[in-house]
Amino acid sequence: MELKFDKSIYKMGIYALLGSAILTSVSQVFYANQVQSVHPFIFTGISFFITALYFQTFAFKQKTKINWTEDKKPLLKLNIASAITFMGFYFALKYVEPAIVSSLEMGIAPLFILILMMLQRKIISIKKWVISIGTLAACLILIWAVISGESGISSQISSEMFIGIIASILCGIGAVFCSEYSKELSNRGWSSSMILSKRYIAIILISFIFTYDLIIPYFIDNIIWILIVTVGGVLIPNYLLQRGIQYTNTFLVMMSLSFIPVFTFLFQLFDTRIQFSLVTCIGVFFLFICGFSSLKDDGKN
């Protein structure tokens, strides 16, 4: 009975991750289109502030006792990692094709996880090495697509382009630490609502510092689409992701999220700003194959 329950919980985690991937993909394409004429941090400030407030209402009702002396350190690290991940990601969407931004974030993460596992002297299966190297190869294809002008968005080589690529890679590294520190807080007794109400403090503060003179007028003029994307593209996906982190393991979380670039690539075909790119399609498909293979992982490492 216990084994059956564990398998059921594990499947729930996978379903949560896939649901998060679909909703995230839709919001990425829509946001990338909207953000072309504004500061990329305007949306992060508004959206994550609303998200934090929403989950705080649930956190208030929970009677879980928090040991701030021990928990403040992983919470601070989670805030830093979240700022690097989300703010880097939304910044990159302004300059790089959405599917490629997602791919670079997801592709670099598995290899970085294995490096951490090596430093911790953990046993690493050959299968995980093959999957991780495969995702890295897919990333190199996509980086070449951006630099060579073969991606879905035609552009000249510029500093913004390289900053966007670097920001995408940093997203992947930050996402690994987000998963680790979220897992640590969860193991310390923090609920999903408690974590989601506290992990975006750094994002909100940094966003407001950069856009304090723009954020209120912009929110008033664009309140409808901001609320829709906040709920459907940030609030719900992050809740599902938090559930996936809670019910599965770090490697599966990062690799199952490789479905995001696939969905993003499909959804961005409806954006007239982005053209079909065969190179991007190859890179994203390669990444998908690696991600699908990882779903058969036994989840023990």
Side-chain angles (χ1 to χ4, degrees), residues 92-267:
L93 283 178
K94 188 175 178 67
Y95 303 106
V96 181
E97 180 183 347
I100 292 181
V101 176
S102 296
S103 298
L104 293 181
E105 178 188 4
M106 294 304 124
I108 201 67
L111 188 60
F112 186 72
I113 290 175
L114 295 196
I115 293 175
L116 293 178
M117 292 175 67
M118 288 178 60
L119 295 175
Q120 297 169 358
R121 297 184 178 181
K122 293 183 178 180
I123 298 176
I124 304 172
S125 66
I126 296 177
K127 178 181 178 180
K128 284 186 176 180
W129 275 116
V130 172
I131 291 173
S132 299
I133 293 174
T135 59
L136 180 62
C139 286
L140 294 177
I141 293 174
L142 294 168
I143 290 175
W144 177 81
V146 176
I147 297 176
S148 65
E150 295 295 326
S151 69
I153 300 177
S154 300
S155 60
Q156 300 293 327
I157 294 179
S158 63
S159 59
E160 288 83 3
M161 174 191 296
F162 286 104
I163 292 175
I165 293 174
I166 294 172
S168 301
I169 294 174
L170 289 177
C171 286
I173 297 176
V176 174
F177 288 112
C178 282
S179 181
E180 288 290 337
Y181 297 135
S182 292
K183 192 82 169 181
E184 182 177 349
L185 288 174
S186 179
N187 293 336
R188 289 172 179 265
W190 285 56
S191 67
S192 296
S193 296
M194 291 167 62
I195 294 174
L196 290 168
S197 68
K198 302 292 192 301
R199 68 175 290 184
Y200 304 126
I201 296 174
I203 294 177
I204 296 168
L205 291 176
I206 296 173
S207 297
F208 284 177
I209 289 173
F210 277 96
T211 64
Y212 67 92
D213 57 335
L214 304 171
I215 198 164
I216 295 179
Y218 186 79
F219 177 67
I220 294 174
D221 292 338
N222 300 272
I223 186 171
I224 300 299
W225 80 260
I226 289 177
L227 289 177
I228 292 175
V229 176
T230 296
V231 174
V234 177
L235 195 152
I236 296 177
N238 276 282
Y239 177 78
L240 293 175
L241 177 59
Q242 190 64 45
R243 286 295 187 184
I245 292 172
Q246 183 179 353
Y247 295 150
T248 62
N249 59 75
T250 301
F251 188 84
L252 180 61
V253 169
M254 302 316 303
M255 283 306 305
S256 64
L257 291 181
S258 63
F259 285 93
I260 292 180
V262 178
F263 296 136
T264 301
F265 180 79
L266 295 175
F267 290 131

Side-chain angles (χ1 to χ4, degrees), residues 62-81:
Q62 297 170 354
K63 304 300 182 181
T64 304
K65 186 177 180 180
I66 299 176
N67 187 344
W68 287 109
T69 302
E70 296 182 2
D71 294 354
K72 64 181 180 181
K73 188 173 182 179
L75 179 61
L76 175 61
K77 291 180 179 179
L78 177 59
N79 267 268
I80 295 173

Side-chain angles (χ1 to χ4, degrees), residues 1-51:
M1 290 296 293
E2 183 178 356
L3 180 61
K4 183 177 180 180
F5 175 77
D6 289 342
K7 286 184 177 180
S8 176
I9 293 296
Y10 191 72
K11 287 182 179 179
M12 285 177 60
I14 292 178
Y15 294 148
L17 291 172
L18 291 177
S20 176
I22 294 173
L23 292 174
T24 299
S25 300
V26 175
S27 68
Q28 285 175 3
V29 176
F30 184 77
Y31 172 83
N33 182 280
Q34 295 290 323
V35 79
Q36 296 307 307
S37 59
V38 298
H39 195 292
F41 294 161
I42 288 181
F43 177 76
T44 57
I46 298 173
S47 183
F48 285 98
F49 179 72
I50 296 173
T51 301

